[in-house]
Amino acid sequence: MNLSEVTERISRKLEAKGAQPDRQKIESRLRRLAEEFGVNIDEAERTVTADLAREHNVTGVGSSSTELRPISEIVPGEWVTIEGKIVALTPPVSPSIAQTGIIADSSGAMRFVAWARGNPPAMEYGHWYRLESAVVDEYRGAPNLKIHSGTTISRMERDAPLLPSITPIAELKPGIGSVRAKVIQDWDVTHDRMLQTGLLGDETGTIKFVIWKEEGKDRLELDTVYNIFYATVDEYNGRLSLALNTAMYIADEGDIEVGRAETEIQGALVHIAPGSGLIKRCPVEGCNRTLSRQNYCPVHEIQPEFRYDLRIKAVLDDGIRARNVLMQREVVEALTGITLDEAVQIAETNPLGMDEIFYRIRNTVLGRYYTCSGSEFGGRLLVNSCTPIAFEPEELAALLNRAGGEPA
Amino acid sequence: MKPQSAFEREPARRVFASELRETRYQFRDGDDEKSPTYVILPTGIRSNRIFIVGTLTEKQRQGDQNVFYRGRVVDPTGTFFIMAGSYQPEAMQQLARIEPPAFVAVVGKPNLYTTPDGNCLVSVRVESIAVVDRETRDLWVLDTARETLDRLDAFGTTDDSRKAQEEYGTQPDVYRKIVYDALTQVQL
């Protein structure tokens, strides 16, 4: 891009606002910034435009806000102009909000909020609009477009078909996302307002979904593949979930081999936490909490008819990161060679009782190297399999080479 | 206080005895009474917890009212001095039960002492200790060799390693030689 082109653009912008700038002055300022100070052209253009706008007392010529931007490239903190289609309208949660919904272009989609105070014209579902000078901020970790009193909304006579781009589940980020996924689990709803909740999966992973009760919303069928366009991706405690109330979903043909997002970590077990070994669980259906030594459940009080279980809560450490791992009964039995029945028998005949199992397990696994694989849940790895690491002579040879000597 | 989810347990660094023996520099990260204390290892990383595997060759009970145990754990490069007192009752009882010689895995905190005649000693305050086998010892030598080499490869590029350079004048080649010699003692 050469300087006269930029000069031309800046002067036309200012002339459109009724100012009469001196082209030579513009070009010399641009040249000074670009050549003397090594400022890049875009930044020089912005600076000169802003300076001259101030000198000529005109407003609304900031270059970044009038330049049309694809939605997917917008980041919080920017003033932007976009053109998009209203693909969802949601009921406003507060009287100070006139409209909320989702606006999309071919690059992506974003939530928007139109504040009532600016008295914005109502936008209609399914139509295209040009929004000038909207502000992007962040709401619950996702970018959010604010339409305020300074935003110009104009309806466009355009109906380009819009095909949302599908995101693999593993790559979803808070905001708006479209997925092609299979319903793999249908859970009991936990709330009166909830229509359905469960688990969706594609080749790359799984994600929880929720549909809130609302007129015209249908349930998803188990084991069916859906194209889900413009769902809201929420983040809570570091975990993502998909709310389908903003989305359009249609059943699709075909099947998906759902990928289990397994994490594999290696290291030494450096800590066996209290609460490992033989434990007692509350027998009340759906409770399953661990009981204290006195058979006390924090919710259901004294439960003499408890059931026994085996588990290990530990820290697997590779020297760089220490991670919490949780092993359930099957894994513990395979790892330690003690079955639940044997453990109960030992505990009932040994003077140390359940502590004896804790010590035996600790002495078997503490300080040893393992590979654990499983799924991460709430900052902890739920271990599906745990195998001891074996000594590999090739590893020794490779390290000897790396340490710089000739192989011994 | 930080929320629970933000808490990250400090990893246990892998370090050979001859490197730990050279450690002299200790600092506190933050001004709080409860801020963690770290040492800077000569190969350039902060550590407030280490993991070692070696042979327990000797243990001694000491003190009358405040009983504590001292022990020596030997790796291919030298000796670690470990101790467990009444503030670590579990660790002390575990150590009390182990009869040397035995392969042991130790997780603990490095501690620096200056003796009255001005010598600096490094000991390891045991958090937990368990008897392991020879294979675990060999795996540890490989693990420690790998992590020491990783630290040497990054030497000079991290803040901790620049600090180590300043405090110890570390010569990476010396530590590569130590790693090499340690590896040659692992039997195929």
Side-chain angles (χ1 to χ4, degrees):
Chain A
M1 193 184 295
N2 67 44
L3 290 178
S4 60
E5 228 175 274
V6 180
T7 308
E8 190 59 31
R9 188 161 60 224
I10 296 176
S11 59
R12 251 188 278 126
K13 266 184 203 166
L14 290 161
E15 279 160 11
K17 296 279 179 180
Q20 256 131 41
D22 176 351
R23 285 178 197 222
Q24 248 171 347
K25 199 157 121 191
I26 298 177
E27 188 162 342
S28 73
R29 285 199 195 182
L30 281 173
R31 192 174 303 283
R32 191 169 139 78
L33 282 172
E35 289 171 10
E36 250 179 83
F37 291 93
V39 174
N40 70 44
I41 297 283
D42 288 345
E43 185 56 29
E45 177 176 359
R46 206 197 62 79
T47 310
V48 173
T49 311
D51 282 353
L52 287 168
R54 218 170 307 133
E55 282 168 30
H56 289 89
N57 257 330
V58 295
T59 51
V61 276
S63 66
S64 59
S65 70
T66 53
E67 213 170 290
L68 191 62
R69 299 277 305 275
I71 289 179
S72 63
E73 287 175 15
I74 298 173
V75 294
E78 288 187 307
W79 287 66
V80 292
T81 292
I82 58 162
E83 287 177 0
K85 184 178 180 176
I86 307 299
V87 294
L89 285 171
T90 48
V93 290
S94 147
S96 57
I97 292 173
Q99 259 189 330
T100 60
I102 295 171
I103 186 161
D105 66 11
S106 55
S107 74
M110 189 178 286
R111 281 193 77 83
F112 71 84
V113 174
W115 296 97
R117 216 171 46 176
N119 220 356
M123 292 188 282
E124 268 180 71
Y125 175 80
H127 285 279
W128 283 78
Y129 290 88
R130 179 181 171 91
L131 307 177
E132 284 174 47
S133 302
V135 176
V136 184
D137 65 359
E138 206 176 274
Y139 179 66
R140 290 190 185 155
N144 189 47
L145 193 71
K146 275 203 303 204
I147 296 168
H148 52 96
S149 53
T151 306
T152 319
I153 302 177
S154 39
R155 180 156 163 179
M156 301 167 67
E157 291 311 318
R158 168 176 173 189
D159 194 20
L162 192 57
L163 205 64
S165 55
I166 299 290
T167 309
I169 286 179
E171 290 169 24
L172 284 172
K173 289 192 295 272
I176 304 299
S178 301
V179 297
R180 181 173 183 274
K182 182 160 113 177
V183 184
I184 51 174
Q185 283 175 23
D186 193 357
W187 299 337
D188 292 335
V189 296
T190 52
H191 197 285
D192 291 344
R193 284 183 46 231
M194 210 181 259
L195 176 69
Q196 191 184 17
T197 181
L199 205 62
L200 286 167
D202 70 5
E203 292 82 354
T204 65
T206 58
I207 189 169
K208 175 189 162 178
F209 76 92
V210 182
I211 307 174
W212 299 97
K213 278 183 188 164
E214 194 187 313
E215 214 175 299
K217 284 289 163 201
D218 296 322
R219 294 171 55 88
L220 302 180
E221 295 284 330
L222 193 60
D223 289 327
T224 308
V225 175
Y226 286 87
N227 282 311
I228 300 169
F229 297 148
Y230 307 123
T232 309
V233 188
D234 292 313
E235 187 178 354
Y236 181 68
N237 275 351
R239 291 177 63 76
L240 297 179
S241 69
L242 217 51
L244 265 46
N245 285 68
T246 55
M248 208 170 61
Y249 39 91
I250 13 176
D252 194 2
E253 289 183 354
D255 198 6
I256 290 180
E257 187 76 27
V258 174
R260 299 239 311 269
E262 286 252 303
T263 313
E264 190 181 279
I265 54 178
Q266 297 194 324
L269 282 177
V270 297
H271 178 64
I272 311 298
S276 298
L278 190 63
I279 55 164
K280 300 167 177 176
R281 288 195 184 275
C282 177
V284 174
E285 202 176 315
C287 175
N288 223 20
R289 284 182 178 76
T290 347
L291 303 182
S292 76
R293 281 178 175 264
Q294 287 77 31
N295 303 335
Y296 185 85
C297 167
V299 176
H300 304 100
E301 312 210 320
I302 301 292
Q303 295 288 333
E305 297 298 309
F306 57 82
R307 43 182 206 81
Y308 279 115
D309 198 2
L310 270 178
R311 70 168 177 194
I312 295 179
K313 288 162 73 178
V315 177
L316 193 73
D317 184 319
D318 64 1
I320 307 299
R321 243 186 101 184
R323 279 187 267 213
N324 292 315
V325 297
L326 177 63
M327 300 181 204
Q328 313 268 40
R329 194 187 103 202
E330 291 77 15
V331 179
V332 178
E333 287 181 337
L335 192 62
T336 61
I338 307 173
T339 66
L340 178 61
D341 292 343
E342 284 164 6
V344 171
Q345 210 172 10
I346 293 166
E348 283 174 352
T349 55
N350 192 286
L352 284 177
M354 294 177 18
D355 286 350
E356 175 68 17
I357 305 300
F358 176 82
Y359 292 131
R360 283 196 193 194
I361 288 178
R362 187 185 63 191
N363 292 341
T364 316
V365 300
L366 183 70
R368 289 165 194 256
Y369 284 91
Y370 294 100
T371 303
C372 285
S373 64
S375 47
E376 270 190 291
F377 193 90
R380 176 169 269 150
L381 189 80
L382 271 172
V383 179
N384 293 327
S385 83
C386 181
T387 46
I389 296 177
F391 180 80
E392 305 273 355
E394 302 83 50
E395 176 80 26
L396 174 60
L399 282 166
L400 277 166
N401 279 333
R402 221 186 124 189
E406 305 77 56
Chain B
M1 225 177 93
K2 281 185 184 172
Q4 188 92 50
S5 59
F7 173 77
E8 284 241 358
R9 182 185 159 106
E10 194 69 25
R13 303 294 178 189
R14 319 302 203 236
V15 57
F16 284 122
S18 58
E19 179 177 357
L20 191 70
R21 194 183 55 206
E22 297 302 320
T23 301
R24 294 286 174 273
Y25 180 70
Q26 186 170 287
F27 70 100
R28 193 184 279 273
D29 187 28
D31 304 325
D32 202 338
E33 191 186 331
K34 290 195 175 145
S35 303
T37 305
Y38 294 90
V39 298
I40 292 271
L41 298 176
T43 52
I45 199 152
R46 67 183 59 198
S47 162
N48 84 347
R49 177 176 283 133
I50 61 172
F51 175 60
I52 57 183
V53 181
T55 313
L56 181 73
T57 55
E58 198 184 305
K59 82 170 175 194
Q60 257 181 329
R61 186 187 143 113
Q62 287 189 332
D64 293 322
Q65 275 166 337
N66 286 314
V67 177
F68 67 101
Y69 280 81
R70 279 184 193 287
R72 295 167 71 97
V73 175
V74 176
D75 83 353
T77 71
T79 305
F80 295 100
F81 299 94
I82 64 169
M83 53 167 293
S86 45
Y87 288 112
Q88 303 90 35
E90 282 278 312
M92 190 174 81
Q93 287 162 31
Q94 288 172 64
L95 180 53
R97 256 200 302 272
I98 301 172
E99 275 313 312
F103 286 115
V104 290
V106 177
V107 182
K109 305 251 181 204
N111 256 337
L112 298 184
Y113 288 102
T114 311
T115 57
D117 49 353
N119 285 328
C120 194
L121 293 179
V122 190
S123 75
V124 181
R125 205 172 62 232
V126 180
E127 289 182 315
S128 46
I129 178 168
V131 174
V132 294
D133 52 13
R134 179 174 196 112
E135 188 177 20
T136 304
R137 203 290 303 254
D138 291 346
L139 284 169
W140 178 82
V141 175
L142 299 192
D143 190 20
T144 305
R146 188 184 321 107
E147 303 219 341
T148 307
L149 291 173
D150 287 348
R151 293 198 290 268
L152 291 172
D153 287 349
F155 199 82
T157 65
T158 62
D159 288 347
D160 284 354
S161 62
R162 280 188 283 272
K163 190 76 200 166
Q165 180 63 48
E166 197 179 296
E167 291 292 327
Y168 305 110
T170 305
Q171 293 177 307
D173 285 348
V174 172
Y175 284 96
R176 277 182 204 282
K177 178 82 167 67
I178 289 171
V179 169
Y180 184 83
D181 291 346
L183 288 167
T184 55
Q185 292 192 43
V186 174
Q187 251 124 64
L188 283 175

